[in-house]
């Protein structure tokens, strides 16, 4: 079997998100199939600027071919297009202009896919909202497998993506919440789809003391790992954590790991360590008491899975359905919707070591049963082998006529999103998971 992984940017220096997800999947499927990566020259997800480098290279043994981005993102134009389609009645042509403005706009990549449609048995397109996934899936619909990585944000309400969800051969979802959201908005229940997620390269023997010595860290601390950005809930996290520190009985500090797009408070118990390599990151997570995930929008959260693989409990923002659902399914995390709830869960975990241990043990079990690489690889291979055996039944709906595309008859995408059902998808707690409430007994 020959596979192409198509993603907006790719490389070892990209440490999170759908791009890391795509690299992990490419490297692990390469154990079972011939895998190439098709991507762009961009590495900056804000500008999509073409970076110098070879057109062909190998990264961890995987052949990678890059294509130029036609233009950098114009932030002002993108903001105007976003306001039009998210907040106002608009046309399908407006949505297509938004897609082009979002980038990375690479007709060269899409043309290559269309011209070499038969070169691969299947194309795995990552991240539904980007140019290469939308136009690439249309070019090779009968061979397209979509890994949507969709979040509950207004983009999901754009009508332009609904035919893509209905027209690909299969979808590999990250969570039951993502699957339910996409099926509701697009009516694609007849398209083969499975909740898979992604594994992670968690070391079996992290060394927390090495991290403490290297970075001069003493005492107990909570950790945040990821992009430090208001869109990731970090502004609220800073406000909540500074409030927590005003209680003299609270002893935890907060360590931040990742690229910062938001000023870090000048506070003696909040420390930004910057970007760390994987060894230091996992050592830090192993040394932490707990991981905090304040994001409102996630399709999975790889760092949450990594914390559970390391036996660390998670405190998550309950306003993100996916994070709340993962905590409920794993019985390995607590969640909050308000400042008072944030204080309550942090204090509970700080004061109750048994609760921490119980949640951590449940997290290890949840990761092992659902997200270790043999499980992920098997799910992908079973879907791809099924598609090989079955004739392609789905057909991609063509774009409407030029005149129809210009009719301003589409509702604001934010309104469409708001009408979608909310909440964690119901699912039983994993068999064998000890109830977290046991950790509260004296």
């Amino acid at each position: 079997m020959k596979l192409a992984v198509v993603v907006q940017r790719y490389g070892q220096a990209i440490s999170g998100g759908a791009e890391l997800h795509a690299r992990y999947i490419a490297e692990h499927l390469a154990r079972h199939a011939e895998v190439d990566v098709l991507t762009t020259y961009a590495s900056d997800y804000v500008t999509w600027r073409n970076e110098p480098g070879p057109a062909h290279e190998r990264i961890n043994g995987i052949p990678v071919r890059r294509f130029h981005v036609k233009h950098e993102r114009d932030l002002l134009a993108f903001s105007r297009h976003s306001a039009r389609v998210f907040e106002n009645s608009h046309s399908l042509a407006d949505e297509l202009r938004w897609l082009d403005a979002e980038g990375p706009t690479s007709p060269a990549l899409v043309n290559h896919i269309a011209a070499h449609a038969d070169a691969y048995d299947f194309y795995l397109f990552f991240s539904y909202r980007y140019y290469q996934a939308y136009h690439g899936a249309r070019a090779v619909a009968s061979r397209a497998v979509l890994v949507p990585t969709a979040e509950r944000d207004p983009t999901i309400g754009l009508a332009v993506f609904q035919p893509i969800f209905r027209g690909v051969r299969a979808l590999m979802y990250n969570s039951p919440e993502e699957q339910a959201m996409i099926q509701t908005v697009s009516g694609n229940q007849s398209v083969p789809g499975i909740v898979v997620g992604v594994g992670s390269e968690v070391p079996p023997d992290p060394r927390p003391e090495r991290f403490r010595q290297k970075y001069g860290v003493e005492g107990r601390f909570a950790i945040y790992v990821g992009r430090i950005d208001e869109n990731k809930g970090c502004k609220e996290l800073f406000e909540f954590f500074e409030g927590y520190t005003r209680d003299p009985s609270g002893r935890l500090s907060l360590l931040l790991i990742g690229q910062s797009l938001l000023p870090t408070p000048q506070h003696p118990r909040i420390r930004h360590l910057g970007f760390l390599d994987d060894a230091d990151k996992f050592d830090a997570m192993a040394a932490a008491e707990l991981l905090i995930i304040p994001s409102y929008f996630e399709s999975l959260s790889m760092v949450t899975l990594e914390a559970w693989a390391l036996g660390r409990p998670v405190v998550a923002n309950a306003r993100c359905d996916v994070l709340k659902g993962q905590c409920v399914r794993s019985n390995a995390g607590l969640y909050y919707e308000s400042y008072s709830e944030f204080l309550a869960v942090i204090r509970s975990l700080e004061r109750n070591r048994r609760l921490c241990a119980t949640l951590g043990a449940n997290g290890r079990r949840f990761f092992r049963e659902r997200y270790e690489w043999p499980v992920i690889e098997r799910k992908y291979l079973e879907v791809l082998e099924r598609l090989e055996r079955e004739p392609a039944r789905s057909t991609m709906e063509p774009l409407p006529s030029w005149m129809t595309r210009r009719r301003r008859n589409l509702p604001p995408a934010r309104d469409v999103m708001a009408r979608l059902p909310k909440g964690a998808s119901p699912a039983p707690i994993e068999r064998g998971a000890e109830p977290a409430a046991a950790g509260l007994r004296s």
Side-chain angles (χ1 to χ4, degrees):
M1 186 184 299
K2 191 170 184 180
L3 306 173
V5 169
V6 185
V7 65
Q8 55 272 15
R9 57 188 185 132
Y10 191 89
Q12 286 184 289
I14 300 172
S15 60
E19 295 90 347
L20 181 60
H21 184 165
R23 179 164 68 83
Y24 281 170
I25 293 299
E27 292 173 1
H28 281 269
L29 289 183
R31 301 175 181 182
H32 311 278
E34 185 179 350
V35 177
D36 293 343
V37 171
L38 306 177
T39 188
T40 72
Y41 280 97
S43 62
D44 183 339
Y45 69 92
V46 176
T47 66
W48 302 119
R49 180 186 304 111
N50 287 310
E51 303 291 348
H56 298 267
E57 64 178 321
R58 284 183 176 266
I59 297 178
N60 294 342
I62 308 296
V64 178
R65 180 166 182 178
R66 299 186 187 277
F67 297 84
H68 283 98
V69 177
K70 183 179 179 181
H71 57 77
E72 294 183 21
R73 179 189 279 169
D74 181 328
L75 294 177
L76 290 177
F78 180 53
S79 178
R80 288 196 301 270
H81 287 298
S82 295
R84 180 175 297 121
V85 299
F86 293 160
E87 311 297 342
N88 299 282
S89 297
H90 60 275
S91 67
L92 195 64
D94 290 328
E95 294 189 357
L96 290 168
R97 283 190 285 269
W98 174 90
L99 183 67
D100 184 79
E102 185 193 34
T105 304
S106 181
L109 171 53
V110 174
N111 291 340
H112 175 83
I113 291 170
H116 299 85
D118 296 337
Y120 300 94
D121 295 298
F122 298 105
Y123 291 78
L124 275 60
F125 292 98
F126 278 77
S127 298
Y128 81 99
R129 63 182 294 153
Y130 291 115
Y131 183 97
Q132 87 288 338
Y134 176 83
H135 290 287
R138 280 195 166 278
V140 289
S142 65
R143 299 169 186 263
V145 176
L146 180 64
V147 187
T149 68
E151 301 169 354
R152 190 186 176 90
D153 65 16
T155 306
I156 196 66
L158 295 177
V160 73
F161 295 116
Q162 295 179 21
I164 305 300
F165 295 140
R166 294 190 292 265
V168 294
R169 287 292 302 279
L171 292 97
M172 313 299 277
Y173 297 105
N174 271 342
S175 68
E177 289 78 19
E178 181 193 36
Q179 182 180 35
M181 178 178 67
I182 288 176
Q183 289 183 343
T184 300
V185 79
S186 69
N188 74 335
Q189 288 84 348
S190 63
V191 180
I194 185 173
V195 176
V196 185
V198 64
S200 188
E201 309 297 338
V202 180
D205 55 349
R207 297 168 59 185
E209 287 307 316
R210 177 175 61 186
F211 165 78
R212 289 185 177 276
Q213 292 173 6
K214 182 173 181 178
Y215 292 93
V217 175
E218 298 180 356
R220 301 168 68 190
F221 64 91
I223 196 167
Y224 170 84
V225 180
R227 191 171 74 246
I228 300 165
D229 188 343
E230 185 170 354
N231 290 335
K232 288 291 186 180
C234 291
K235 182 179 179 182
E236 181 181 81
L237 170 62
F238 294 156
E239 294 170 355
F240 284 7
F241 197 84
E242 287 183 295
Y244 156 80
T245 63
R246 289 194 284 270
D247 180 350
S249 67
R251 300 295 184 185
L252 294 179
S253 297
L254 175 63
L255 297 190
L256 309 165
I257 294 174
Q259 178 188 6
S260 181
L261 301 178
L262 185 71
T264 303
Q266 297 299 307
H267 192 285
R269 285 165 58 186
I270 300 177
R271 182 180 174 191
H272 178 215
L273 298 178
F275 175 82
L276 303 187
D277 63 25
D278 279 352
D280 285 353
K281 181 189 81 169
F282 287 121
D283 287 351
M285 293 174 69
E289 295 290 312
L290 56 97
L291 173 78
I292 303 178
I293 300 293
S295 177
Y296 310 109
F297 309 114
E298 295 289 341
S299 70
L300 179 63
S301 179
M302 291 174 63
V303 71
T304 296
L305 301 180
E306 291 168 346
W308 286 334
L310 293 166
R312 293 296 176 267
V314 169
V315 172
N317 190 337
R319 285 169 286 182
C320 176
D321 292 344
V322 169
L323 293 176
K324 182 177 179 180
Q326 289 287 72
C327 287
V328 171
R329 284 185 290 275
S330 65
N331 206 18
L334 304 180
Y335 43 87
Y336 63 91
E337 289 191 8
S338 64
Y339 172 62
S340 61
E341 291 181 358
F342 178 86
L343 290 182
V345 297
I346 294 292
R347 288 168 177 165
S348 295
L349 291 171
E350 180 181 11
R351 297 169 182 174
N352 194 324
R353 295 294 185 97
R354 187 178 177 191
L355 175 60
C356 277
T358 298
L359 293 173
N362 288 347
R364 286 185 190 273
R365 185 180 300 108
F366 184 72
F367 181 86
R368 184 177 64 248
E369 293 179 355
R370 294 199 181 195
Y371 295 104
E372 283 193 341
W373 277 115
V375 178
I376 301 296
E377 292 171 22
R378 175 178 52 79
K379 288 184 176 181
Y380 265 89
L381 293 173
E382 286 177 352
V383 169
L384 295 173
E385 289 166 359
R386 171 188 168 185
L387 296 180
E388 274 195 315
R389 294 192 302 268
E390 297 178 354
R393 290 175 295 190
S394 59
T395 56
M396 188 70 69
E397 302 160 31
L399 279 170
S401 68
W402 184 91
M403 185 64 70
T404 302
R405 291 201 298 270
R406 280 151 181 79
R407 292 176 182 163
R408 294 186 178 272
N409 58 356
L410 297 177
R414 193 178 299 278
D415 292 354
V416 176
M417 178 199 70
R419 291 194 294 269
L420 297 175
K422 296 181 180 179
S425 294
I429 293 172
E430 291 295 288
R431 291 192 300 272
E434 182 181 351
L440 297 173
R441 293 198 295 265
S442 60

